[in-house]
Amino acid sequence: MPIATGSDERAQGYFPHWTLKSSGVIMPEERLPLGQTVVSGLQHCVAMSGSTIIAPLLMGFDPNVAVLFSGIGTLIFFVIVAGRVPSYLGSSFAFIAVVIAATGYVGHGPNPNLSVALGGIVGAGVLYGVIALIVMWSGVGWIEKLLPPAVTGAVVAAIGLNLAPVAVKAVSANAFDTGIGLATVLIIGVVAVGAPGLWRRLPIILGAIGGYLLYLLFANGFGFGKPIDFTQVSAAPWIGLPSFTTPTFQTDAIVLIAPVAIILVAENLGHIKAVGAMTGRSLDDYLGRALLADSLATIVAACGGGTGVTTYAENIGVMAATKVYSTLLFAFAALVSIVLGFSPKFGALVLSIPGPVIGGLSIVLFGLIAAMAGRIWVENKIDFSSPANLITVAVALTAGAGDLTLKFGAFTIGGIGTATFGAIILYQILRSPFARRAE
């Protein structure tokens, strides 16, 4: 089976020879000095940690297991794409609705039917892998026909807009929470625009630290908000094994959960296109590998009790803000996540981050995701005087932002899925020969 490879890979070998660069835009085959690599890699850990932990909590999974397998999955991705596609794999939100439906999870505590959900996620990973192999065999042409830049930009924007209410809700409980969230946003912006040297590359991690300290001062110190409770952090051991769980395969759960693979394909494609737009180079040669890597990472995670994983938009947002695309950052972040997966104290510490601070971070990161759509459209010179492009994008943005949910029996497609499939189908209809003749 032929595998598409880039000319740089043939010239350099399987992995690139990362060249040292300490300033300016850092491309995937370049690397920062060790100290900057460590700090920037930790920033990616911060960016992924909120969603990677929140998603399993919403499904009744162990967050430490999810963090561990996010690191393992990212290393799988790094190896399969030959270290040439910068990306972090974290918990996928696309599984939440179907997992809850398949397991009857009540919304708090461990999921008593976790193994059944894991079997369904393995099924999704297998279907995902089949699609990836088809792409590796036949190329990306058929996917590009289904998902041209007008559509992929709409999907990327819909993802960011769909997540926006989550971020806004996190900072809207009261005036204090709103103030902390907006202060976190301001810290990120000031650091990204005005901080000197290295500090300008660290807006997300410095925003998280600044927001945390502000909350600690005004809530724990002056009593303006609910104090941060460090009881769980103190009680948690530094080192401990996560609670691994093996899957149980039930046909009804597999049938319900496996179709999520289609959403992951579209999501991954949108993310790869976004990274390609940011770096100014096509990553299409590695799309099949990226899909295969994500599918294998999902299967491995589900076999041990982790959530399905996907390339993370939050980390794409970090790259957009910092202009650092070195793939070595993600290998380092993955190793850190694996270590932290064996630390219950880390899980407790991350869970102590106040909601308004997470909300402030999310406002910036989710907004950057949506803004990436503009770059995709500009780079590809999308003609918005074309009714097909304009209507496709308009419908996708509204469906995504409004979280238009469709139900087909027990199968539910949320706003991201509706926007994705709606954009694909509507664009093909509007670009069909019949539609062009009518025009």
Side-chain angles (χ1 to χ4, degrees):
M1 180 174 62
I3 297 176
T5 57
S7 59
D8 61 329
E9 182 176 336
R10 289 192 294 269
Q12 296 188 41
Y14 189 75
F15 289 107
H17 301 300
W18 288 277
T19 56
L20 180 64
K21 187 178 180 183
S22 58
S23 62
V25 177
I26 309 298
M27 299 303 286
E29 70 281 359
E30 297 173 334
R31 63 181 176 88
L32 291 166
L34 180 60
Q36 293 186 40
T37 297
V38 170
V39 178
S40 296
L42 290 175
Q43 180 169 240
H44 280 287
C45 288
V46 172
M48 70 82 191
S49 62
S51 296
T52 296
I53 289 177
I54 291 171
L57 289 178
L58 295 176
M59 295 182 283
F61 287 51
D62 187 319
N64 270 84
V65 174
V67 170
L68 171 65
F69 280 110
S70 76
I72 293 173
T74 299
L75 287 183
I76 291 173
F77 185 93
F78 178 84
V79 171
I80 291 180
V81 301
R84 286 175 164 81
V85 180
S87 206
Y88 191 93
L89 271 60
S91 302
S92 172
F93 278 71
F95 287 98
I96 294 175
V98 290
V99 164
I100 292 174
T103 61
Y105 181 58
V106 296
H108 60 272
N111 191 325
N113 297 313
L114 175 60
S115 63
V116 174
L118 296 176
I121 294 173
V122 170
V126 171
L127 177 59
Y128 196 179
V130 170
I131 297 172
L133 291 175
I134 294 174
V135 171
M136 294 173 71
W137 179 269
S138 63
V140 299
W142 63 280
I143 289 186
E144 289 183 329
K145 185 175 181 180
L146 286 176
L147 296 166
V151 174
T152 53
V155 171
V156 170
I159 291 171
L161 294 176
N162 182 266
L163 295 170
V166 177
V168 172
K169 183 178 180 181
V171 301
S172 300
N174 51 58
F176 175 70
D177 285 3
T178 302
I180 292 294
L182 295 180
T184 303
V185 171
L186 182 60
I187 293 171
I188 294 171
V190 170
V191 170
V193 173
L198 170 64
W199 300 108
R200 188 177 299 177
R201 297 189 184 276
L202 308 173
I204 307 303
I205 192 169
L206 293 178
I209 293 172
Y212 193 103
L213 293 177
L214 278 178
Y215 191 98
L216 186 66
L217 173 65
F218 287 101
N220 292 58
F222 298 127
F224 287 107
K226 181 181 178 181
I228 300 174
D229 185 0
F230 292 102
T231 303
Q232 296 296 325
V233 178
S234 300
W238 283 100
I239 300 175
L241 285 175
S243 302
F244 296 110
T245 306
T246 55
T248 299
F249 299 98
Q250 293 186 6
T251 303
D252 55 347
I254 294 173
V255 170
L256 180 60
I257 297 174
V260 170
I262 300 172
I263 298 176
L264 296 181
V265 170
E267 188 176 48
N268 203 323
L269 175 62
H271 292 170
I272 296 297
K273 291 290 187 181
V275 173
M278 288 189 294
T279 57
R281 62 178 59 171
S282 173
L283 296 174
D284 289 351
D285 285 348
Y286 297 96
L287 178 59
R289 292 193 192 190
L291 298 178
L292 180 62
D294 197 4
S295 70
L296 292 176
T298 292
I299 293 171
V300 169
C303 285
T307 63
V309 295
T310 185
T311 51
Y312 245 31
E314 289 88 336
N315 296 87
I316 293 174
V318 172
M319 288 189 283
T322 62
K323 309 300 182 186
V324 178
Y325 310 108
S326 174
T327 53
L328 287 179
L329 297 185
F330 298 95
F332 176 79
L335 293 174
V336 172
S337 296
I338 291 172
V339 172
L340 294 177
F342 290 98
S343 175
K345 190 173 288 293
F346 163 75
L349 179 62
V350 171
L351 290 175
S352 75
I353 298 176
V357 177
I358 294 293
L361 298 175
S362 300
I363 286 174
V364 175
L365 293 175
F366 296 164
L368 286 171
I369 296 166
M372 277 300 103
R375 182 162 185 172
I376 292 174
W377 293 327
V378 170
E379 293 283 345
N380 290 279
K381 299 179 173 61
I382 299 302
D383 179 13
F384 281 106
S385 67
S386 165
N389 291 338
L390 190 61
I391 293 174
T392 297
V393 171
V395 171
L397 294 184
T398 302
D403 197 25
L404 177 60
T405 301
L406 302 180
K407 294 185 178 181
F408 303 94
F411 182 60
T412 301
I413 301 178
I416 292 176
T418 302
T420 299
F421 294 126
I424 293 171
I425 295 170
L426 184 59
Y427 183 84
Q428 296 303 319
I429 292 174
L430 297 179
R431 296 294 295 175
S432 67
F434 174 80
R436 288 199 295 269
R437 284 198 302 269
E439 185 179 337

